[in-house]
């Protein structure tokens, strides 16, 4: 394995290999502060911006700490939105991949029964939104007695969304003897109170905003009346011609209207808001991440933590009324050292909100005007050309990691009394296969899925066609589900 600064922590080879595969060579500032403290089982209160590598800062030491053999969940991570819950679950699976760590996501508007059956199997980590986590606790489908670690992520957003009471009642149901980590971008009084009540002598970390972790963003605004916003949007985007752009609206109706206008005008566009069914929300985020369309019209559900590569422009079609919201929305651009462009539409009676944002965030916005007809005409052919050009598909990190992984399907599970050890025992006896080549094993009533790592899927598949597991001959093929 090539030299990697993460080697300096006491991490096992399986975690280090995953870090290396993810392309992380050097811990970020927040990781330098959090990883060693969590490895020492310290409670922590961390104020840190999104995009700072916060997920891996707790994901790495927690995946290290997990005892694989334990069947009940050991880590509970609370997230304010379903998208974040899913993204964090995916990040944790990537980090714990070679240790075969199972992370389950639970959130509302998705099948409770399916989640219940996933929770019944081995789940080392549960990542969820407070409401659904609480439902599972109340219905007895989420055992808590082995929870050694609690992560409250994006605590200020939980507060904004009115989840704090639910979070508190979840905390009260957890074993007292646990490690608690609280992450928040800002530290309002209520979050400090939460920390004082439930964290045990926490290490307090405040990450100062530095050149490195502050996004480079050019902030600007445009005075425009409500009726002229759509035409202004068209003119600005034609002249700016962004590679990828998020347009934020304050309400679902506004998202629908703006989206429809852009569809009718021929934009490559998607939409996202909380009124859409969860499958559609995930599908849209996935397609946007992969570069299948250039513009996303969204409410604040897309503002938090969502990590999409290379968003060049953020347009606040409606001015956000809260300064936190402004910071999170514009934080989707200017990531990874690139300069981003943020533009806020300000209607005549909204100047006071704009001034408040400037005062609170210490950001100064430059006033711009709507491009004139001549500028728009001049820019139009380049704009049309870009709109017709497909973006180079953005490869998702997890997809890249998955290249070496084959998911195999076996037609036997719990009913046949099969357990993970039976699969590991049999598969690791195949010539050329080691136990490190066996990834996550998911045993259901009648079927089992096994991830085979390191490009050894075909070898295992061919061999298992004529071998038995615990004396049973099972059908095996490449799994259809991802
Ligand atoms: P987060 O703050 O958790 O949303 O992370 C922001 C982005 O930084 C994600 O795309 C991570 O995959 C990436 N990242 C996290 N840690 C590192 C690291 N040490 N080196 C490079 N990229 C990282």
């Amino acid at each position: 394995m090539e030299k990697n600064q993460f080697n300096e922590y006491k991490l096992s080879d399986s975690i280090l290999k995953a870090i290396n595969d993810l392309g992380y060579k050097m811990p970020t500032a927040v990781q330098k502060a959090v990883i060693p403290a969590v490895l020492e089982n310290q409670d922590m209160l961390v104020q840190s911006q999104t995009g700072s590598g916060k997920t891996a800062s707790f994901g790495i030491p927690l995946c290290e700490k997990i005892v694989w053999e334990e069947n009940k969940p050991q880590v509970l991570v609370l997230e304010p939105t379903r998208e974040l819950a899913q993204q964090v679950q995916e990040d944790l699976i990537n980090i714990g991949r070679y240790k075969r760590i199972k992370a389950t996501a639970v959130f509302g508007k998705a099948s409770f029964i399916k989640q219940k059956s996933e929770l019944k199997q081995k789940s080392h980590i549960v990542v969820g939104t407070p409401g659904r986590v609480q439902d599972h606790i109340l219905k007895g489908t989420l055992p808590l007695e082995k929870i050694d670690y609690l992560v409250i992520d994006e605590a200020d957003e939980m507060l904004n969304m009115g989840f704090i009471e639910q979070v508190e009642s979840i905390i009260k149901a957890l074993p007292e003897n646990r490690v608690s980590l609280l992450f928040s971008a800002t530290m309002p009084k209520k979050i400090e109170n939460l920390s004082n009540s439930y964290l045990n002598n926490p290490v307090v970390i405040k990450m100062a905003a530095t050149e490195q972790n502050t996004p480079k963003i050019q902030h600007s605004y445009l005075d425009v009346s409500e009726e002229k916003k759509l035409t202004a949007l068209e003119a600005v985007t034609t002249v700016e011609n962004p590679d990828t752009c998020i347009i934020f609206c304050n309400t679902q109706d506004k998202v629908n209207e703006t989206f429809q206008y852009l569809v009718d005008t021929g934009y490559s566009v998607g939409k996202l808001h909380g009124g859409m069914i969860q499958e559609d929300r995930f599908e849209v985020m996935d397609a946007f991440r992969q570069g299948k369309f250039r513009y996303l019209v969204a409410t604040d559900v897309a503002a938090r933590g969502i990590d999409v590569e290379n968003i060049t422009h953020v347009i606040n079609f409606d001015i956000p009324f809260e300064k936190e919201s402004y910071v999170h929305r514009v934080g989707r651009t200017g990531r990874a050292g690139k300069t981003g462009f943020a533009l806020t539409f300000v209607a005549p009676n909204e100047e006071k909100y704009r001034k408040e944002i400037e005062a609170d965030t210490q950001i100064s916005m430059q006033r711009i005007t709507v491009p004139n007809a001549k500028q728009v005409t001049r820019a139009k052919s380049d704009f049309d050309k870009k709109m017709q050009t497909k973006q180079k598909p953005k490869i998702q990190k997890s997809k890249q990691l998955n290249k070496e992984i084959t998911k195999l399907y076996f037609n036997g599970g719990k009913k046949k009394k099969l357990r993970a050890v039976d699969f590991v025992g049999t598969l690791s006896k195949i010539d050329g296969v080691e136990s490190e080549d066996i990834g996550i094993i998911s045993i259901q009533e009648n079927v089992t899925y096994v991830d085979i790592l390191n490009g050894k899927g075909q070898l295992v598949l061919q061999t298992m066609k004529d071998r038995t597991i615990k004396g049973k001959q099972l059908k095996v093929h490449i799994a259809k589900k991802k």
Side-chain angles (χ1 to χ4, degrees), residues 6 23-28 31 50-56 87 305 307 335 397:
F6 283 95
Y24 303 169
K25 303 272 182 265
M26 251 199 356
T28 63
Q31 289 164 1
T50 63
S52 55
K54 172 164 68 76
T55 315
Q87 184 175 297
D307 188 25
R335 290 162 86 83
K397 260 177 260 135

Side-chain angles (χ1 to χ4, degrees), residues 16 113 122 186 194 212 412 435:
L16 284 170
I113 310 252
K122 191 194 273 285
T186 55
L194 194 71
Q212 234 182 357
S435 58

Side-chain angles (χ1 to χ4, degrees), residues 218-446:
Q218 197 187 322
H219 300 268
S220 52
Y221 73 99
L222 186 72
D223 290 320
V224 56
S225 63
E226 202 56 54
E227 315 77 71
K228 295 212 170 119
K229 278 185 175 178
L230 286 169
T231 43
L233 179 67
E234 202 183 333
V236 169
T237 46
T238 307
V239 170
E240 278 289 325
N241 202 6
D243 277 348
T244 322
C245 173
I246 304 194
I247 298 162
F248 282 107
C249 301
N250 286 352
T251 64
Q252 300 180 1
D253 283 348
K254 217 41 174 316
V255 167
N256 290 335
E257 275 167 36
T258 311
F259 168 77
Q260 200 50 52
Y261 179 85
L262 295 178
V263 170
D264 295 344
T265 321
Y267 279 61
S268 148
V269 60
K271 69 170 175 178
L272 185 74
H273 61 61
M276 292 161 56
I277 61 166
Q278 195 56 46
E279 277 75 22
D280 290 346
R281 283 168 63 171
F282 286 146
E283 215 169 278
V284 168
M285 273 320 290
D286 252 5
F288 189 52
R289 278 204 188 95
Q290 288 170 38
K292 291 195 177 147
F293 48 82
R294 291 185 186 273
Y295 291 78
L296 177 70
V297 189
T299 55
D300 281 311
V301 289
R304 268 283 171 159
I306 299 292
D307 188 25
V308 178
E309 242 179 82
N310 199 21
I311 293 171
T312 53
H313 290 63
V314 168
I315 298 180
N316 290 316
F317 191 81
D318 295 319
I319 188 167
F321 295 128
E322 312 224 0
K323 63 172 197 285
E324 276 91 4
S325 184
Y326 181 83
V327 173
H328 292 299
R329 286 180 181 188
V330 301
R332 298 310 98 221
T333 182
R335 290 162 86 83
K338 296 193 177 123
T339 302
F341 178 84
L343 170 64
T344 300
F345 284 3
V346 182
N349 56 347
E350 291 173 343
E351 181 59 14
K352 57 178 183 295
Y353 299 117
R354 192 189 70 75
K355 289 229 169 86
E356 270 172 31
I357 292 173
E358 276 196 327
D360 282 342
T361 57
Q362 312 255 308
I363 283 168
S364 105
M365 299 183 203
Q366 197 192 342
R367 181 165 179 267
I368 63 166
T369 50
V370 184
N372 60 33
K374 221 183 194 171
Q375 290 168 312
V376 174
T377 316
R378 221 181 299 136
K380 188 83 171 101
S381 73
D382 279 352
F383 175 80
D384 287 343
K385 205 177 327 133
K386 192 178 269 181
M387 203 60 84
Q388 311 303 326
T389 320
K390 275 219 173 93
Q391 296 185 77
K392 216 167 65 214
K394 297 177 188 171
I395 304 166
Q396 280 178 269
K397 260 177 260 135
S398 53
K399 295 243 165 75
Q400 220 162 1
L401 289 176
N402 281 338
K403 258 198 325 212
E404 295 258 287
I405 299 171
T406 313
K407 194 180 276 298
L408 293 184
Y409 159 99
F410 292 87
N411 74 332
K414 282 188 201 151
K415 269 210 182 127
K416 292 195 171 139
K417 303 232 164 359
L418 293 169
R419 293 171 310 154
V421 286
D422 303 321
F423 283 89
V424 176
T426 309
L427 303 187
S428 59
K429 281 201 195 94
I430 299 173
D431 254 358
V433 179
E434 315 284 332
S435 58
E436 295 86 69
D437 300 324
I438 303 162
I440 295 166
I441 300 174
S442 163
I443 305 187
Q444 302 176 4
E445 279 310 299
N446 297 311

Side-chain angles (χ1 to χ4, degrees), residues 149-191:
Y149 298 91
L150 165 71
V151 180
I152 305 169
D153 198 13
E154 308 273 353
D156 50 352
E157 185 62 6
M158 304 261 202
L159 182 70
N160 289 344
M161 295 175 75
F163 292 161
I164 282 297
E165 277 168 19
Q166 277 168 330
V167 170
E168 278 199 78
S169 88
I170 294 168
I171 300 177
K172 285 184 188 145
L174 296 176
E176 280 200 11
N177 193 7
R178 59 160 200 272
V179 173
S180 308
L181 313 173
L182 195 155
F183 291 83
S184 198
T186 55
M187 278 299 158
K189 192 88 199 100
K190 285 202 173 154
I191 299 298

